[in-house]
């Protein structure tokens, strides 16, 4: 399947991270890739409200956040009563080493921090093309 520039401009991506610098960096990175809209949230509660209201195409979340983690967000998304929310592609990122036991099957990909634009692009293509 081909992925066009128009596909990127139609994407609505949620970024959830408790670090403001990381949220800002991710927004710049996503916009440089041509993503149409980037929605930023500091925690799981804010993100769930935004996801249900905004109906994005993809969620990118940090793993280690307080008081709820990226896994808590994933669980809440997968248990949503809204099918569009429940089926969202979900990318996890973390500054800590990934362990196979640490991430469930419900994620679409894992990105180690610091992320690069190429890595983000590769994971978005994988998550969103598979979705269609």
């Amino acid at each position: 399947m081909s992925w066009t520039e128009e596909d990127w401009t139609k994407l609505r991506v949620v970024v959830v991270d408790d670090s403001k610098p990381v949220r800002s960096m991710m927004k710049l990175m996503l916009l440089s890739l041509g993503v149409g809209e980037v929605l930023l949230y500091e925690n799981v509660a804010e993100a769930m409200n935004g996801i249900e209201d905004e109906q994005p195409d993809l969620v990118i979340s940090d793993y280690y956040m307080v008081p709820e983690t990226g896994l808590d967000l994933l669980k809440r998304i997968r248990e949503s009563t809204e099918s569009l929310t429940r089926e969202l592609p979900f990318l996890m990122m973390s500054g800590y080493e990934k362990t196979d036991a640490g991430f469930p099957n419900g994620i679409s990909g894992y990105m180690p921090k610091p992320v690069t634009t190429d890595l983000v692009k590769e994971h978005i293509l994988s998550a969103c093309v598979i979705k269609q």
Side-chain angles (χ1 to χ4, degrees):
M1 174 182 191
S2 63
W3 189 260
T4 68
E5 186 176 320
E6 186 176 306
D7 293 324
W8 287 98
T9 62
K10 291 179 181 177
L11 270 180
R12 296 174 61 141
V13 178
V14 163
V15 174
V16 187
D17 199 300
D18 54 357
S19 167
K20 186 174 183 174
V22 171
R23 290 193 308 271
S24 297
M25 184 246 343
M26 288 298 298
K27 181 174 184 173
L28 289 172
M29 215 180 275
L30 291 164
L31 292 174
S32 77
L33 289 170
V35 169
E37 187 173 2
V38 180
L39 307 163
L40 304 175
Y41 300 104
E42 184 175 358
N43 58 54
V44 171
E46 285 180 10
M48 281 306 298
N49 288 333
I51 288 166
E52 290 172 354
D53 291 343
E54 301 293 336
Q55 298 184 348
D57 300 298
L58 172 69
V59 174
I60 300 173
S61 177
D62 185 29
Y63 178 78
Y64 289 103
M65 297 182 290
V66 176
E68 294 179 282
T69 69
L71 287 179
D72 295 320
L73 175 60
L74 176 65
K75 182 178 179 189
R76 288 176 65 176
I77 287 172
R78 296 295 180 247
E79 292 175 352
S80 173
T81 57
E82 300 290 327
S83 65
L84 286 176
T85 300
R86 196 172 49 247
E87 297 169 9
L88 273 173
F90 190 100
L91 298 176
M92 188 75 74
M93 59 182 175
S94 176
Y96 299 92
E97 187 173 330
K98 175 189 177 240
T99 63
D100 291 334
F103 296 111
N105 292 335
I107 66 168
S108 307
Y110 167 80
M111 300 183 294
K113 287 181 181 177
V115 297
T116 64
T117 303
D118 288 339
L119 183 65
V120 171
K121 180 178 181 178
E122 173 186 324
H123 278 80
I124 289 174
L125 286 170
S126 175
C128 292
V129 170
I130 289 170
K131 177 185 173 188
Q132 297 177 357

